[in-house]
Amino acid sequence: MTTLRGRLKMALLAAALGMATPSITALPAMAQTVLKVRVFGDLKTIDPIVNSDYQVRNHGYMVYDTLFAQDATGQIQPQMAEGHTTSPDGLTWTFVLREGLKFHDGAAVTSADVVASLKRWGERDGLGQQLMARTASLTATDPKTITLTLKDRWGLVLDALGKPSSIVPFVMPERIARTPSNQAITDPTGSGPFMMVRAEWSPGARVVYARSPSYVPRPEPASGLAGGKRAHVDRVEWLIIPDAQTALNALQAGEIDIFEELPPDMVQLIRDNPRVVIGKMSSLQGVWRFNHLQPPFDNVKMRQAILRLVNQQQTLSAYVEDKSLFTVCPSFYMCDSPYFTNAGWPAPDVAAARQLVRESGYDGARIVVLDATETSGSPATQVIAQAMREIGLNVDYQAMDWGTLSARRANKNPVAQGGWSAFVSGPAAPDMTEPVGHMALRSNCEGAWFGWPCDPAIETLRAEFTLAPDLASRRAIAQAIQQRALETVPYVPTGQFFLLRGYQKTVTGLLSVGIPIYWNIGKTR
């Protein structure tokens, strides 16, 4: 006779695969432990390779695992791999999968799945593109063994395979990974600790994940994004609540367990609540991103004008008054990066910005600025948009939610045809630390991040960085990249800051990671 636990697992697996589950509604509500999270934005697509949106990346960490992962100290550790060996000449890398790996549909994870996943990722990600350009072959030697043969020695193989943020080399079934890398997948079957309950996904309202009964975690404790990914709750519900006050009320009332990206000006409203804890999340760099394909920011003088117009003290203070939560950082690299340099950085200068606008020949064309009002980037967007108006620019400020913005920013058309001119985002520290993985410095034209900057000089330097023999050489190249980027201005940093989250004291096991992850988390009564 089937047990309640058995029926529950069967129902959850069926729901995750989008099948009819008439029996699940008959199960008692107390059979499940549910973690309810107010996430920062909506999930409108499930492909973390096609889309670099952080909400899709976070979805990826729920449903997929990776061959390698970064631990709490920043070291790359085996994750799905049992380990690896390297030939004496450094050209052949062999990876063996650990025992017991399965996808959510019960199929075993094989080397063919890994190879297909890495090849698809390598077409989209900047660091992956560098790896694939140096790859002679990537093959499934046997069902558990992957062999990577390089054309020449390259010291960033594990850094690439253990890349922590956009775009992450997640492992998915070969049948899904064979989807062209410019076409979004629709099947959420994954290799990770949770399964997406596709039948309960309601864009604009909620996303639901269930514990995967087939996932086998590593034996060691969780550390950063590595180690044992143990699902201590039966369900995780992501709730889409754009209005921060509504989300705060839900946290105060105990209706949600975690409020991600708690606005700093709301901290004082809950500081005295004995049931709620306030903690730091990740460190971010604010990014004012230009559309390089369309006027007026296809003109380098206009981009240089905004570089001199942005005052990081003003943009950061608009978001948070507590100086311990932000850093004025005049660099394209995070201030705590080993490659940080402020060499050549211009001081804010409104008069110089006006002069550059005049030199550009700007004719008053409409500048469409997109703003996701529920995100941490909204205050900076509004400050910069107003500063642009004050120097005579015709700003068309358009407010929307993050899900809409993340879809809109892929539009390459002129503004009259639904295109855009600029938006603000907040990439996490791992994406903004060094030149190769740097999401916003990449300037490889159509292969670049939204905005599509195109500069062969930066790309040549990025390639040289991967071959540099020591830290001193890499630092010199990183500085040369910054000097070139100050000329081409692929984007403008708006400052470095911490995000906050509020959560119930009943929530246990939160890991200090720069990415919101929901394994290792439990709830006390």
Side-chain angles (χ1 to χ4, degrees):
M1 187 173 179
T2 305
T3 65
L4 175 61
R5 182 180 297 275
R7 287 191 290 115
L8 177 60
K9 286 185 176 181
M10 291 171 61
L12 289 175
L13 181 57
L17 298 175
M19 302 187 314
T21 56
S23 63
I24 195 169
T25 56
L27 295 173
M30 292 183 63
Q32 294 184 328
T33 304
V34 181
L35 183 74
K36 296 186 177 183
V37 184
R38 184 272 192 179
V39 290
F40 80 87
D42 197 3
L43 181 73
K44 294 196 173 182
T45 180
I46 61 170
D47 193 335
I49 305 303
V50 168
N51 195 321
S52 62
D53 176 16
Y54 278 177
Q55 201 62 60
V56 186
R57 175 205 61 187
N58 298 348
H59 159 81
Y61 272 113
M62 294 293 287
V63 301
Y64 301 110
D65 210 348
T66 53
L67 197 62
F68 289 84
Q70 191 178 88
D71 69 15
T73 68
Q75 300 301 305
I76 303 298
Q77 303 292 348
Q79 189 61 28
M80 298 179 81
E82 190 64 47
H84 77 281
T85 58
T86 311
S87 63
D89 62 5
L91 297 182
T92 302
W93 295 66
T94 303
F95 311 101
V96 178
L97 296 176
R98 59 187 175 89
E99 295 289 341
L101 298 177
K102 291 185 178 181
F103 290 111
H104 299 154
D105 59 6
V109 177
T110 70
S111 55
D113 299 306
V114 176
V115 168
S117 297
L118 293 181
K119 286 182 176 179
R120 186 171 190 263
W121 160 78
E123 293 179 6
R124 303 286 298 190
D125 177 66
L127 196 51
Q129 290 167 353
Q130 294 277 354
L131 173 60
M132 293 303 162
R134 289 166 172 78
T135 295
S137 63
L138 177 63
T139 58
T141 311
D142 63 44
K144 292 187 61 179
T145 307
I146 303 103
T147 302
L148 168 68
T149 303
L150 302 176
K151 298 174 184 176
D152 47 46
R153 293 178 69 99
W154 195 57
L156 299 178
V157 171
L158 294 184
D159 298 81
L161 298 179
K163 189 175 187 286
S165 192
S166 298
I167 295 171
V168 181
F170 292 120
V171 174
M172 54 186 66
E174 180 184 16
R175 60 182 173 81
I176 300 173
R178 287 191 176 278
T179 304
S181 65
N182 61 353
Q183 177 182 327
I185 65 171
T186 57
D187 186 335
T189 303
S191 54
F194 290 95
M195 309 177 296
M196 183 184 191
V197 184
R198 184 68 182 268
E200 297 189 51
W201 178 24
S202 178
R206 71 172 185 168
V207 191
V208 178
Y209 301 92
R211 185 207 315 260
S212 171
S214 60
Y215 181 75
V216 178
R218 293 188 67 87
E220 62 266 30
S223 174
L225 297 168
K229 299 180 178 180
R230 291 175 173 80
H232 294 313
V233 295
D234 297 302
R235 281 167 61 97
V236 178
E237 296 183 2
W238 286 3
L239 304 179
I240 316 304
I241 310 175
D243 182 67
Q245 185 60 57
T246 301
L248 185 72
N249 293 342
L251 181 68
Q252 295 266 53
E255 296 168 357
I256 60 174
D257 300 296
I258 301 174
F259 183 163
E260 303 287 16
E261 295 199 18
L262 175 71
D265 58 2
M266 288 186 165
V267 169
Q268 61 181 352
L269 302 177
I270 58 173
R271 194 181 298 277
D272 297 329
N273 187 327
R275 300 190 304 275
V276 175
V277 179
I278 302 167
K280 284 184 180 180
M281 290 176 61
S282 55
S283 178
L284 307 180
Q285 183 189 97
V287 166
W288 176 271
R289 188 65 166 184
F290 303 105
N291 186 337
H292 290 243
L293 301 182
Q294 301 293 342
F297 294 125
D298 59 341
N299 187 318
V300 68
K301 292 283 188 180
M302 285 291 288
R303 302 196 300 271
Q304 291 171 350
I306 305 303
L307 175 64
R308 285 154 181 80
L309 184 65
V310 170
N311 183 319
Q312 289 191 10
Q313 184 69 43
Q314 293 177 357
T315 57
L316 291 165
S317 298
Y319 174 65
V320 56
E321 295 180 358
D322 185 345
K323 293 183 178 180
S324 70
L325 296 177
F326 71 80
T327 303
V328 172
C329 190
S331 177
F332 290 111
Y333 309 107
M334 300 295 285
C335 274
D336 55 356
S337 163
Y339 305 107
F340 166 80
T341 174
N342 59 6
W345 203 270
D349 188 334
V350 174
R354 283 198 179 98
Q355 178 59 33
L356 284 161
V357 170
R358 285 193 291 269
E359 292 175 9
S360 76
Y362 173 67
D363 60 1
R366 184 163 59 104
I367 299 174
V368 173
V369 174
L370 308 182
D371 183 18
T373 56
E374 82 275 28
T375 69
S376 58
S378 182
T381 305
Q382 296 179 52
V383 166
I384 297 171
Q386 181 57 31
M388 290 168 62
R389 293 188 186 100
E390 291 173 0
I391 63 169
L393 302 185
N394 178 17
V395 175
D396 178 3
Y397 167 88
Q398 298 186 10
M400 60 198 66
D401 61 75
W402 176 253
T404 301
L405 189 154
S406 65
R408 177 87 173 272
R409 65 184 178 174
N411 189 330
K412 297 180 180 180
N413 293 331
V415 296
Q417 299 174 29
W420 56 276
S421 307
F423 70 91
V424 170
S425 185
D431 288 323
M432 313 299 281
T433 297
E434 47 76 27
V436 180
H438 200 296
M439 189 160 66
L441 273 179
R442 196 165 84 227
S443 299
N444 55 337
C445 311
E446 293 296 309
W449 189 51
F450 304 104
W452 311 284
C454 192
D455 184 61
I458 285 181
E459 290 306 292
T460 297
L461 288 166
R462 288 177 65 241
E464 291 177 4
F465 180 92
T466 68
L467 302 175
D470 52 47
L471 181 59
S473 301
R474 289 193 292 272
R475 281 176 170 163
I477 296 171
Q479 182 164 327
I481 291 173
Q482 169 143 312
Q483 292 295 336
R484 178 60 181 171
L486 286 170
E487 298 173 17
T488 64
V489 198
Y491 77 101
V492 177
T494 66
Q496 186 173 312
F497 58 98
F498 283 100
L499 296 176
L500 299 176
R501 64 181 164 197
Y503 57 95
Q504 305 292 338
K505 280 190 175 180
T506 53
V507 173
T508 62
L510 277 168
L511 294 168
S512 180
V513 183
I515 293 166
I517 53 175
Y518 301 103
W519 62 80
N520 205 57
I521 296 177
K523 291 176 65 174
T524 60
R525 297 293 183 185

